[in-house]
Amino acid sequence: MINFYKATDLAKQILIENVENKNISVDFTLGRGNDTLFLSENFKSVYAFDIQKECIEDFEKRNIENVKLIFDSHENVDKHLQFFDCGMYNLGYLPQGNKTITTLKTSTITSLTKASNMLNIGGFISIILYVGHDQGKEESLAVLDFCRGLDNKNFNVAYLNFINKNFPPSLVLINKVR
Ligand SMILES: C[S@@+](CC[C@H](N)C(=O)[O-])C[C@H]1O[C@@H](n2cnc3c(N)ncnc32)[C@H](O)[C@@H]1O
């Protein structure tokens, strides 16, 4: 049964069930590595991006063979790979980390523009949005605007929100169909 408690868990369950090919995956925001770990257990390979050296070094210690760690902004995704089947964004700042280092509207939209072109047919991108802080609100609005603009001949896009909670993280799913 699907666990409806957290947007992050919901994303993982939907991705496992629905991504057609479990080959190349991308974690666009490595952070503490929970999503990268999930991807490494379910996909042949993972590319994981973060702009904080600490996140890269922490994950490196786990020595997981099918994960390629990339110390670069996700807006440069096209410099590191060509296509992928599944991508995860968990926006905002690192929990228990430096709150001033956060994903930003402009680079996130650049990254999403590239990622939606690089996504294989049958693939999915999940995005966790946070509206609990000002930067997050602004970024969330920009991401939702971007997603609304995706051509519905090529993409199905769904938006899931826990509407009986205060400022809950929400989930966007992008599925490329053609
Ligand atoms: C909410 S945390 C990610 C949580 C993570 N997925 C996990 O499982 O712990 C957001 C992360 O995005 C990173 N980040 C911020 N801007 C970025 C960018 N332009 N490119 C890549 N990572 C970025 C931050 O350093 C932070 O580690």
Side-chain angles (χ1 to χ4, degrees):
M1 201 178 92
I2 277 197
N3 171 0
F4 265 112
Y5 179 63
K6 275 168 79 182
T8 45
D9 289 346
L10 202 51
K12 288 177 186 147
Q13 292 169 86
I14 292 172
L15 295 175
I16 290 182
E17 292 289 323
N18 293 287
V19 175
E20 255 175 48
N21 296 309
K22 305 281 192 302
N23 292 322
I24 304 171
S25 64
V26 184
D27 186 349
F28 289 89
T29 51
L30 167 70
R32 304 265 176 236
N34 300 305
D35 299 327
T36 294
L37 203 56
F38 158 80
L39 291 170
S40 75
E41 287 163 356
N42 290 284
F43 288 82
K44 281 198 186 125
S45 64
V46 190
Y47 293 83
F49 289 82
D50 210 291
I51 51 169
Q52 295 195 63
K53 194 79 183 155
E54 168 201 339
C55 299
I56 302 284
E57 286 174 352
D58 280 355
F59 200 91
E60 229 158 27
K61 291 181 194 140
R62 300 186 199 223
N63 262 321
I64 299 180
E65 251 182 37
N66 65 342
V67 176
K68 185 173 169 47
L69 297 165
I70 302 169
F71 180 43
D72 194 1
S73 170
H74 52 211
E75 76 205 282
N76 298 321
V77 57
D78 54 331
K79 296 196 178 132
H80 301 276
L81 62 143
Q82 279 188 298
F83 301 105
F84 64 94
D85 300 296
C86 179
M88 297 182 82
Y89 289 81
N90 191 335
L91 299 178
Y93 50 79
L94 189 63
Q96 285 94 49
N98 182 345
K99 292 191 177 168
T100 63
I101 307 174
T102 181
T103 53
L104 296 170
K105 181 172 91 174
T106 312
S107 45
T108 299
I109 297 302
T110 302
S111 174
L112 275 172
T113 306
K114 291 180 177 177
S116 55
N117 287 322
M118 294 165 68
L119 182 64
N120 287 329
I121 291 171
F124 276 76
I125 296 171
S126 67
I127 311 162
I128 304 288
L129 300 173
Y130 295 89
V131 290
H133 55 113
D134 285 348
Q135 207 120 45
K137 254 182 234 160
E138 205 187 310
E139 184 180 35
S140 299
L141 290 176
V143 168
L144 291 175
D145 249 14
F146 168 83
C147 292
R148 276 190 205 97
L150 285 170
D151 187 340
N152 62 17
K153 288 191 206 74
N154 301 328
F155 297 95
N156 290 323
V157 188
Y159 175 47
L160 280 138
N161 205 351
F162 291 83
I163 56 175
N164 62 344
K165 291 186 183 168
N166 284 328
F167 308 115
S170 58
L171 168 63
V172 177
L173 288 159
I174 300 173
N175 171 215
K176 195 168 197 171
V177 289
R178 238 213 14 182

